[in-house]
Amino acid sequence: MTQKPIALITGGAQGIGYASAEALKEDGFEVILADIQEDGVKAAGEKLGALASLTCDMGEVAQVEAMFAQIASDHGPLSALVNNAGVAMPGDFLSYDLETWERVIDINLRGVFLATQMAARVMVDHKIEGAIVNMSSINAQVAIPAIPAYCASKGGVMQLTKVASLALAKHNIRVNAVGPGSIDTEMMAGVNANPEAFKTAMSRTPLGRPGTAREIGDVVAFLCSKKASYITGETIYVDGGRLGLNYTC
């Protein structure tokens, strides 16, 4: 088993998840990538030199439990967890179906709770002063009508982060969240391809450009580091200044 601290990053095959893993690896962590995309996560793990690349649907409880059991058996206890896996699944509010709603909530919120709980149990059992970082969004605070379940789930992640930070503080386990704004990832591809939509997005971003996945990954790595040793229960918004505006659309 490795002697370096181990970090698990969900949704690690690409985008913010991969960038977070990259930043953590540079900070001395061994990283384990997990993603629903089997081929994608294997390729990402090989490129990064990950300790392991695991296929897991974070919306399926049995798969999450099996993943944590495999990590414990094969690699030992985690020192950090990055709950990054998430989906948006947009749709019209009046016709938004319950199946879609539940799928988004299962991945974005229930999966985050379950992974946080399971990682924290391991950290407590091994007396590890660990760090957990949840991926929230500026949509925890500002709403977009086309993504109702996503907005609700990210608001839930913000509150879950606070709850977990209070519950785990006595164990010296820190729990924080990152709230990205408009980041140049696959989730923003549709906006990037539409000049009017891109112009609108940038009009509400004071820095005038999308953020990069690595700019989010660096904040994640900071929150997992000793440099953030007195920060817990916070959501750090990395949004180019958007939340400072007095309008949202």
Side-chain angles (χ1 to χ4, degrees), residues 19-226:
S20 297
E22 189 175 48
L24 286 165
K25 196 168 192 299
E26 289 174 7
D27 277 0
F29 283 87
E30 291 280 13
V31 296
I32 296 174
L33 305 182
D35 202 285
I36 196 171
Q37 303 177 56
E38 183 175 0
D39 292 340
V41 75
K42 286 181 179 178
E46 289 174 3
K47 180 180 177 182
L48 188 59
L51 184 63
S53 301
L54 307 176
T55 306
C56 182
D57 181 342
M58 294 303 295
E60 296 292 335
V61 173
Q63 290 191 33
V64 177
E65 292 176 339
M67 176 179 67
F68 273 89
Q70 182 179 347
I71 291 170
S73 173
D74 294 349
H75 307 292
L78 297 173
S79 293
L81 166 68
V82 181
N83 280 308
N84 171 72
V87 294
M89 302 185 76
D92 178 74
F93 184 84
L94 292 177
S95 59
Y96 207 82
D97 63 274
L98 190 58
E99 183 180 358
T100 302
W101 173 275
E102 290 176 342
R103 178 62 174 163
V104 174
I105 297 298
D106 285 352
I107 295 170
N108 292 11
L109 186 54
R110 188 183 68 180
V112 171
F113 166 72
L114 181 60
T116 296
Q117 186 183 61
M118 297 190 74
R121 287 172 177 167
V122 170
M123 292 172 186
V124 170
D125 287 347
H126 291 269
K127 295 182 171 56
I128 293 172
E129 296 181 3
I132 297 170
V133 179
N134 299 323
M135 201 55 61
S136 185
S137 168
I138 58 167
N139 294 123
Q141 297 207 35
V142 296
I144 297 175
I147 47 173
Y150 182 83
C151 292
S153 70
K154 295 305 184 179
V157 167
M158 178 180 67
Q159 283 293 84
L160 175 60
T161 297
K162 293 179 181 180
V163 169
S165 74
L166 297 175
L168 299 174
K170 64 184 177 182
H171 301 290
N172 290 312
I173 298 169
R174 297 180 299 102
V175 187
N176 291 290
V178 178
S182 296
I183 307 301
D184 191 10
T185 64
E186 282 294 314
M187 195 172 284
M188 196 180 166
V191 173
N192 290 342
N194 184 326
E196 283 302 312
F198 183 80
K199 182 179 178 181
T200 298
M202 292 305 96
S203 74
R204 60 195 185 200
T205 303
L207 287 182
R209 64 169 178 84
T212 67
R214 184 55 191 253
E215 285 175 314
I216 305 300
D218 284 341
V219 177
V220 169
F222 164 71
L223 289 172
C224 290
S225 75
K226 296 298 183 182

Side-chain angles (χ1 to χ4, degrees), residues 222-242:
F222 164 71
L223 289 172
C224 290
S225 75
K226 296 298 183 182
K227 293 178 180 179
S229 58
Y230 202 53
I231 301 174
T232 196
E234 298 293 333
T235 298
I236 297 179
Y237 292 98
V238 188
D239 64 356
R242 180 175 169 183

